[in-house]
Amino acid sequence: MKTYKLLTAIAFLSLGLTACDKELKEDTELHVGVATSQDVNFDGKTVTVKKGTPVVFTLDGDPDFITFFSGESLKEYRYKDRTMMQLEDLDVCELSLGISAMAGNINNADITLYVSDKFPGLAKNNFEADRRLLDEEFNDWNILIDKNDKEEGAYPSKVWSTESDALKTENVKWVTRNLQDYLGKKVTFAICYRGVNNTSAQPKFYFLKLQMKKAFKNGIGTTTVAKDFGFTPVNMLCNENLDDQAAAVYKPNANNKEYGYVTNNIPGIWKMGDLNQIAIHSSAKDKTLKYSWLVSDPISIDASCNPDTGTSIKNISQSLSSYTYTYEEAGTYTATFVANNANYVYEGGQVVRELTINVVE
């Protein structure tokens, strides 16, 4: 009798364990439908809905976890693992600025705006090394703007008699340059000023509202303005002791004539009191021709991004038979429900259900 009772108990226990094991190992199931109404139509694959109208998704299968991706920007399931943007994801990547000139002869000095992803960087504490680097050793620059762009209208073709005229919006040459080839790289920008003729005065040049803009199609972007470029002047003739530069009061260190800037008008020295209005002052007739560089720190045109994320709408402690979501902008989206069963002994597999959402005005 005791043996019979023991065998019966074992049988019941085995049945219980089998049932429990079946429950713990249940595969994931999820069926998604849509409750239709006057403003919500559903043909089994595509939902057509007026913007601002709630869409009620019906859920059958009761998985342990459900995550919802609406398909809107930053909420797309296809980008859940993306950590780097690609060129095709780019909306705009450009440098923009305004250039103008005052007084002197526009042909008596040249300015060139460069970019490079290979520039090794300035020492900033070894002027002779930096002078050689810029003047002799490094030549792997790409030209963004130079005097050959006059016909395009990207380079000043005339000078204005007063500063107020030179800075009028309609008198400034507003320029943009595409930087998409540098996506994912670090780049250095540089402006080189060279006087070429002193039979008459050289002009004063202005560089206005310089900035770099990067924006992706998902709406994420950054704008880097001039103050964040880390510009360093390199005053190539600083050891010539030129008489028309003797009054210079260098910033941020008065003794740093090699890399200093000024806040007043000193011929051939960068004026940088307002980085939205960088300038280099003209030199008078018969004065020594000036030569100077303005070099940025390396700037990353970063392509990294955060993966798109969904919204957790159910966990193992909840029951959920429907989920309501409202699209506020017209467009076509892919709504994605990701379901799975998971417990301490079994991973029930992932199920992905997608519907096309056509949102109309």
Side-chain angles (χ1 to χ4, degrees):
M1 179 64 71
K2 288 182 179 181
T3 300
Y4 172 78
K5 288 182 179 180
L6 179 60
L7 290 174
T8 302
I10 291 172
F12 275 113
L13 180 59
S14 297
L15 287 172
L17 289 173
T18 300
C20 184
D21 184 61
K22 182 179 180 181
E23 182 179 344
L24 288 174
K25 292 186 176 182
E26 183 178 1
D27 289 337
T28 305
E29 291 186 10
L30 178 66
H31 304 281
V32 180
V34 175
T36 59
S37 67
Q38 181 178 349
D39 295 325
V40 181
N41 296 312
F42 181 50
D43 64 4
K45 293 183 179 179
T46 301
V47 179
T48 302
V49 57
K50 289 185 177 181
K51 72 176 185 179
T53 301
V55 179
V56 180
F57 298 97
T58 59
L59 308 173
D60 183 33
D62 197 30
D64 293 338
F65 300 94
I66 305 176
T67 300
F68 173 70
F69 293 79
S70 69
E72 297 163 299
S73 179
L74 307 180
K75 301 175 182 178
E76 296 187 68
Y77 177 72
R78 61 176 173 160
Y79 294 138
K80 66 180 179 63
D81 298 318
R82 182 177 64 180
T83 57
M84 294 290 291
M85 293 291 194
Q86 303 302 315
L87 195 57
E88 59 267 24
D89 302 316
L90 195 61
D91 184 38
V92 62
C93 184
E94 64 185 21
L95 183 79
S96 63
L97 74 159
I99 307 174
S100 191
M102 184 191 85
N105 185 321
I106 193 65
N107 297 312
N108 285 355
D110 293 339
I111 55 169
T112 307
L113 175 60
Y114 297 103
V115 65
S116 177
D117 61 346
K118 298 178 177 63
F119 188 70
L122 297 173
K124 299 185 184 181
N125 60 2
N126 187 335
F127 174 73
E128 185 57 27
D130 287 337
R131 186 201 63 76
R132 288 197 309 270
L133 178 66
L134 292 169
D135 201 33
E136 303 168 14
E137 298 172 358
F138 185 80
N139 58 11
D140 204 354
W141 294 108
N142 291 317
I143 296 174
L144 293 176
I145 301 168
D146 69 2
K147 62 184 179 182
N148 295 317
D149 292 315
K150 285 182 181 178
E151 291 185 7
E152 178 195 334
Y155 189 99
S157 58
K158 63 177 293 185
V159 296
W160 302 95
S161 58
T162 67
E163 183 168 84
S164 61
D165 284 338
L167 297 181
K168 287 181 179 177
T169 299
E170 62 269 26
N171 293 339
V172 174
K173 299 296 184 182
W174 297 101
V175 188
T176 60
R177 288 293 183 261
N178 194 328
L179 299 174
Q180 68 177 23
D181 290 343
Y182 298 99
L183 182 65
K185 300 178 180 180
K186 283 189 174 183
V187 298
T188 299
F189 297 97
I191 305 172
C192 179
Y193 174 94
R194 287 180 185 268
V196 295
N197 187 338
N198 65 355
T199 59
S200 59
Q202 293 100 57
K204 177 179 182 179
F205 283 98
Y206 299 89
F207 304 89
L208 310 172
K209 297 182 179 179
L210 188 150
Q211 64 178 23
M212 182 177 67
K213 181 179 180 181
K214 176 190 69 180
F216 295 103
K217 293 175 182 177
N218 66 357
I220 297 298
T222 58
T223 298
T224 305
V225 297
K227 71 180 181 63
D228 298 319
F229 276 60
F231 278 122
T232 298
V234 184
N235 301 316
M236 303 294 278
L237 304 182
C238 66
N239 292 322
E240 299 293 325
N241 297 316
L242 302 177
D243 59 355
D244 57 351
Q245 294 182 347
V249 179
Y250 293 101
K251 307 285 186 178
N253 184 338
N255 296 320
N256 191 7
K257 64 181 181 179
E258 295 89 350
Y259 303 103
Y261 64 89
V262 295
T263 56
N264 56 346
N265 292 320
I266 301 294
I269 303 297
W270 294 98
K271 182 180 179 181
M272 297 171 59
D274 178 2
L275 291 181
N276 279 321
Q277 186 178 303
I278 297 170
I280 189 161
H281 196 59
S282 58
S283 297
K285 177 184 176 181
D286 296 328
K287 292 295 184 179
T288 300
L289 295 172
K290 305 304 186 292
Y291 175 33
S292 191
W293 286 74
L294 186 65
V295 184
S296 80
D297 287 340
I299 301 172
S300 175
I301 305 182
D302 192 7
S304 64
C305 63
N306 293 320
D308 283 22
T309 57
T311 301
S312 175
I313 62 174
K314 181 187 184 303
N315 60 40
I316 198 169
S317 66
Q318 300 170 298
S319 292
L320 187 70
S321 59
S322 66
Y323 179 70
T324 301
Y325 191 80
T326 302
Y327 291 86
E328 300 292 351
E329 298 293 335
T332 301
Y333 308 91
T334 299
T336 306
F337 292 83
V338 181
N340 60 69
N341 286 341
N343 53 56
Y344 64 93
V345 297
Y346 184 66
E347 184 75 33
Q350 180 172 278
V351 170
V352 177
R353 302 288 183 245
E354 294 185 336
L355 298 176
T356 299
I357 314 296
N358 183 27
V359 182
V360 298
E361 296 288 347

